[in-house]
Coordinates of all heavy atoms in Angstrom, one line a residue:
S508 N 144.7 105.9 101.7 CA 143.7 106.3 100.8 C 142.4 105.5 101.0 O 142.5 104.3 101.5 CB 144.1 106.1 99.3 OG 143.1 106.3 98.4
T509 N 141.3 106.1 100.8 CA 140.0 105.4 100.9 C 139.6 104.7 99.6 O 138.5 104.1 99.5 CB 138.9 106.4 101.3 OG1 138.8 107.4 100.3 CG2 139.2 107.0 102.7
S510 N 140.4 104.7 98.6 CA 140.1 104.1 97.3 C 140.0 102.6 97.4 O 140.7 102.0 98.2 CB 141.2 104.5 96.3 OG 141.0 103.7 95.1
K511 N 139.0 102.1 96.7 CA 138.8 100.6 96.6 C 140.0 99.9 96.0 O 140.2 98.7 96.1 CB 137.6 100.3 95.8 CG 136.3 100.8 96.5 CD 135.1 100.5 95.6 CE 133.8 101.0 96.3 NZ 132.6 100.7 95.5
K512 N 140.8 100.7 95.3 CA 142.0 100.1 94.6 C 143.2 100.1 95.5 O 144.3 99.6 95.0 CB 142.3 100.9 93.3 CG 141.2 100.8 92.2 CD 141.7 101.5 91.0 CE 140.7 101.4 89.9 NZ 141.1 102.2 88.7
R513 N 143.1 100.5 96.8 CA 144.3 100.6 97.6 C 145.0 99.2 97.8 O 146.2 99.1 97.6 CB 143.9 101.1 99.0 CG 145.2 101.4 99.9 CD 144.8 102.2 101.1 NE 146.0 102.5 101.9 CZ 146.5 101.7 102.8 NH1 146.0 100.5 103.0 NH2 147.6 102.0 103.4
D514 N 144.2 98.2 98.1 CA 144.8 96.9 98.3 C 145.5 96.4 97.0 O 146.6 95.8 97.0 CB 143.8 95.9 98.8 CG 143.3 96.1 100.2 OD1 144.0 96.8 100.9 OD2 142.2 95.7 100.5
E515 N 144.8 96.6 95.9 CA 145.4 96.2 94.6 C 146.7 97.0 94.3 O 147.7 96.4 93.8 CB 144.4 96.5 93.5 CG 144.9 96.0 92.1 CD 143.8 96.3 91.0 OE1 142.7 96.7 91.3 OE2 144.2 96.1 89.8
A516 N 146.7 98.3 94.7 CA 147.9 99.1 94.4 C 149.1 98.6 95.3 O 150.2 98.5 94.8 CB 147.6 100.5 94.7
I517 N 148.8 98.2 96.6 CA 149.8 97.8 97.5 C 150.4 96.4 97.0 O 151.6 96.2 96.9 CB 149.3 97.6 98.9 CG1 148.9 99.0 99.5 CG2 150.3 96.9 99.8 CD1 148.3 98.9 100.8
E518 N 149.5 95.5 96.5 CA 150.0 94.3 96.0 C 150.8 94.4 94.8 O 151.9 93.8 94.6 CB 148.8 93.4 95.7 CG 149.1 92.0 95.2 CD 147.9 91.1 94.9 OE1 146.8 91.6 95.1 OE2 148.1 90.0 94.4
F519 N 150.4 95.4 93.9 CA 151.1 95.6 92.6 C 152.5 96.1 92.9 O 153.5 95.7 92.4 CB 150.3 96.5 91.7 CG 151.0 96.9 90.4 CD1 151.0 96.0 89.4 CD2 151.7 98.1 90.3 CE1 151.6 96.3 88.2 CE2 152.4 98.4 89.1 CZ 152.3 97.5 88.1
V520 N 152.6 97.2 93.8 CA 153.9 97.8 94.0 C 154.8 96.9 94.8 O 156.1 97.0 94.6 CB 153.7 99.2 94.8 CG1 153.4 98.9 96.2 CG2 154.9 100.1 94.6
K521 N 154.3 96.0 95.6 CA 155.2 95.1 96.3 C 155.8 94.1 95.4 O 156.9 93.5 95.7 CB 154.4 94.3 97.4 CG 154.1 95.1 98.7 CD 153.4 94.3 99.7 CE 153.2 95.1 101.0 NZ 152.5 94.3 102.0
N522 N 155.2 93.8 94.2 CA 155.7 92.9 93.3 C 156.8 93.5 92.4 O 157.4 92.8 91.6 CB 154.6 92.4 92.4 CG 153.7 91.4 93.1 OD1 154.2 90.6 94.0 ND2 152.4 91.4 92.8
Q523 N 157.1 94.8 92.6 CA 158.1 95.5 91.8 C 159.5 95.2 92.4 O 159.6 95.3 93.7 CB 157.8 97.0 91.7 CG 156.5 97.3 91.1 CD 156.2 96.6 89.7 OE1 157.1 96.7 88.8 NE2 155.1 96.0 89.6
P524 N 160.5 95.0 91.6 CA 161.9 94.7 92.2 C 162.4 95.9 93.0 O 163.4 95.7 93.8 CB 162.7 94.4 91.0 CG 162.0 94.9 89.8 CD 160.5 94.9 90.2
T525 N 161.9 97.1 92.7 CA 162.5 98.3 93.4 C 161.5 98.8 94.5 O 161.6 100.0 94.9 CB 162.6 99.4 92.3 OG1 161.4 99.6 91.7 CG2 163.7 99.1 91.3
Y526 N 160.7 97.9 95.0 CA 159.7 98.3 96.0 C 160.4 98.8 97.3 O 161.5 98.3 97.7 CB 158.8 97.1 96.4 CG 158.0 97.3 97.6 CD1 156.9 98.2 97.6 CD2 158.3 96.7 98.8 CE1 156.1 98.4 98.7 CE2 157.5 96.8 99.9 CZ 156.4 97.7 99.9 OH 155.6 97.9 101.0
F527 N 159.8 99.8 97.9 CA 160.3 100.3 99.2 C 159.1 100.8 100.0 O 158.0 101.0 99.5 CB 161.3 101.5 99.0 CG 160.7 102.7 98.4 CD1 160.0 103.7 99.1 CD2 160.8 102.9 97.0 CE1 159.4 104.8 98.5 CE2 160.3 104.1 96.4 CZ 159.6 105.0 97.2
T528 N 159.3 100.8 101.3 CA 158.3 101.3 102.2 C 158.9 101.9 103.4 O 160.1 101.7 103.8 CB 157.4 100.1 102.7 OG1 156.3 100.6 103.5 CG2 158.2 99.1 103.5
S529 N 158.1 102.8 104.1 CA 158.5 103.5 105.3 C 157.3 103.8 106.1 O 156.2 103.9 105.6 CB 159.3 104.7 105.0 OG 158.5 105.7 104.3
G530 N 157.5 103.9 107.5 CA 156.4 104.3 108.4 C 155.5 103.0 108.7 O 155.7 101.9 108.1
E531 N 154.5 103.3 109.5 CA 153.6 102.2 109.9 C 152.2 102.7 110.0 O 151.9 103.9 110.0 CB 154.0 101.7 111.3 CG 155.4 101.0 111.3 CD 155.8 100.5 112.7 OE1 155.0 100.8 113.7 OE2 156.8 99.9 112.9
G532 N 151.3 101.8 109.9 CA 149.9 102.1 110.1 C 149.4 103.0 109.0 O 149.7 102.9 107.8
K533 N 148.6 104.0 109.4 CA 148.1 105.0 108.4 C 149.2 105.9 107.8 O 149.0 106.5 106.8 CB 147.0 105.8 109.0 CG 145.7 105.1 109.3 CD 144.6 106.0 109.8 CE 143.3 105.3 110.1 NZ 142.2 106.2 110.6
E534 N 150.3 105.9 108.5 CA 151.4 106.7 108.0 C 152.4 106.0 107.1 O 153.3 106.5 106.6 CB 152.3 107.2 109.2 CG 151.4 108.0 110.2 CD 150.8 109.3 109.6 OE1 151.5 109.9 108.8 OE2 149.7 109.6 109.9
Q535 N 152.1 104.7 106.8 CA 153.0 103.9 106.0 C 152.9 104.4 104.5 O 151.9 104.6 104.0 CB 152.6 102.4 106.1 CG 153.6 101.5 105.3 CD 153.3 100.0 105.5 OE1 152.2 99.7 106.0 NE2 154.2 99.2 105.2
I536 N 154.1 104.4 104.0 CA 154.3 104.8 102.6 C 154.8 103.6 101.8 O 155.7 102.9 102.2 CB 155.3 106.0 102.4 CG1 154.9 107.2 103.2 CG2 155.5 106.3 101.0 CD1 153.6 107.8 102.7
H537 N 154.2 103.4 100.6 CA 154.6 102.4 99.7 C 155.1 103.0 98.4 O 154.5 104.0 98.0 CB 153.4 101.4 99.4 CG 152.8 100.7 100.6 ND1 153.3 99.6 101.1 CD2 151.8 101.1 101.3 CE1 152.6 99.2 102.1 NE2 151.6 100.1 102.3
G538 N 156.0 102.5 97.8 CA 156.5 103.0 96.5 C 157.5 102.1 95.8 O 157.9 101.1 96.3
A539 N 157.8 102.5 94.6 CA 158.8 101.8 93.7 C 159.3 102.8 92.7 O 158.8 103.8 92.4 CB 158.1 100.6 93.1

């Protein structure tokens, strides 16, 4: 995403105990 909140969103979701990710680079998916 081009959103200014992207880094904040990634940091927030990584702090969740159910965090998961897949792919790399621009194809990387973050979630929880």
Side-chain angles (χ1 to χ4, degrees):
S508 174
T509 58
S510 172
K511 295 179 180 179
K512 295 182 178 180
R513 185 172 185 272
D514 291 340
E515 184 182 353
I517 292 174
E518 182 181 358
F519 178 81
V520 76
K521 282 184 175 180
N522 288 327
Q523 305 307 312
T525 55
Y526 170 72
F527 63 84
T528 185
S529 63
E531 297 180 355
K533 291 186 177 181
E534 302 300 320
Q535 186 174 12
I536 299 296
H537 303 274

